[in-house]
Amino acid sequence: AMNYDFRKHCNLFFAEQSIDAADFAGRITNMLMRYQVQTVPAQLNLLDSHDTHRFFTLVDKNVDKLICALALLFVHPGSVCVYYGTEVPMEGGYDPDCRRPMDWSVENEPSAVGKLITALAKLKNHMAIKHGDVDYRSNEKAFVMERTYEDTMIRFTMIREGQHAIIPGKVLLSHNFSENTITGCGFIIEEVRS
């Protein structure tokens, strides 16, 4: 089933900014708890689709927010749905504006968003992301999701604004992260082995 609740919570957190990271984590947790554990991997998580505003438009064309939301989409339990044009990124309002034709005049080189989607798709096959248990350890500022499978944990830490210091494990992917600090709207995906 299409998981429009995932989109709704991302909209509240990234676009409207009407909830903080702790409230966001609570809403995502409640969303997961409504379904049996066997159902969650089959949920089709999405940020936008053929009948919604494009997420890039909702976040006022803020590429950093789109990138952070996409990273969350890929590390979250369930299947990933990326609507065509997100990789460019494309804008669009409510249906039918969200169904604009693909802009094929865009350069042949993939955008930063397109490159990130490729990297995240590869990372989605990591056993801890694919099959790991999920736990949230968030506060008002930082959203933290941990996916644990056997002796490996993937930790996803994201902030919407400001700065957040972190001492990482093995960094797998990041955005707006340097010198052990996430700045602006950024994230880090790290691997920790026990």
Side-chain angles (χ1 to χ4, degrees):
M2 295 182 80
N3 191 355
Y4 283 99
D5 279 347
F6 181 88
R7 177 192 180 282
K8 176 179 75 177
H9 301 315
C10 285
N11 183 40
L12 293 172
F13 182 71
F14 290 105
E16 295 179 16
Q17 296 189 43
S18 58
I19 58 174
D20 64 19
D23 192 18
F24 182 57
R27 288 168 184 259
I28 296 291
T29 300
N30 288 339
M31 179 186 71
L32 285 176
M33 292 177 65
R34 282 195 312 242
Y35 301 102
Q36 293 181 348
V37 69
Q38 301 88 342
T39 304
V40 172
Q43 288 283 51
L44 187 61
N45 299 321
L46 66 149
L47 296 173
D48 49 20
S49 73
H50 64 282
D51 59 2
T52 68
H53 288 76
R54 286 191 175 268
F55 195 75
F56 187 55
T57 299
L58 292 175
V59 296
D60 293 326
K61 299 185 230 172
N62 183 314
V63 173
D64 290 335
K65 288 181 179 180
L66 175 63
I67 283 174
C68 285
L70 284 166
L72 173 63
L73 179 70
F74 277 85
V75 298
H76 194 269
S79 299
V80 175
C81 178
V82 177
Y83 190 44
Y84 82 92
T86 299
E87 71 280 5
V88 177
M90 266 175 71
E91 57 183 294
Y94 192 70
D95 191 11
D97 191 45
C98 59
R99 299 178 190 234
R100 295 178 189 181
M102 182 71 173
D103 183 3
W104 296 108
S105 67
V106 177
E107 298 292 324
N108 289 334
E109 286 294 314
S111 70
V113 176
K115 289 177 184 175
L116 176 80
I117 289 171
T118 300
L120 287 167
K122 290 177 184 171
L123 193 57
K124 185 74 173 171
N125 288 318
H126 191 292
M127 291 303 282
I129 293 176
K130 205 172 188 177
H131 301 292
D133 294 333
V134 64
D135 187 36
Y136 301 101
R137 296 183 315 107
S138 300
N139 58 35
E140 292 175 359
K141 187 175 184 178
F143 175 86
V144 180
M145 177 195 309
E146 295 176 345
R147 303 290 311 270
T148 306
Y149 182 78
E150 295 179 352
D151 66 341
T152 304
M153 178 181 63
I154 296 293
R155 181 181 297 127
F156 172 76
T157 305
M158 171 185 68
I159 64 168
R160 186 174 56 202
E161 58 193 355
Q163 291 185 331
H164 182 71
I166 186 171
I167 299 172
K170 178 183 172 188
V171 178
L172 301 178
L173 197 59
S174 67
H175 179 71
N176 289 340
F177 176 76
S178 66
E179 299 179 12
N180 293 343
T181 303
I182 305 170
T183 56
C185 188
F187 72 86
I188 179 174
I189 301 172
E190 57 184 304
E191 181 181 74
V192 180
R193 295 202 178 253
S194 56

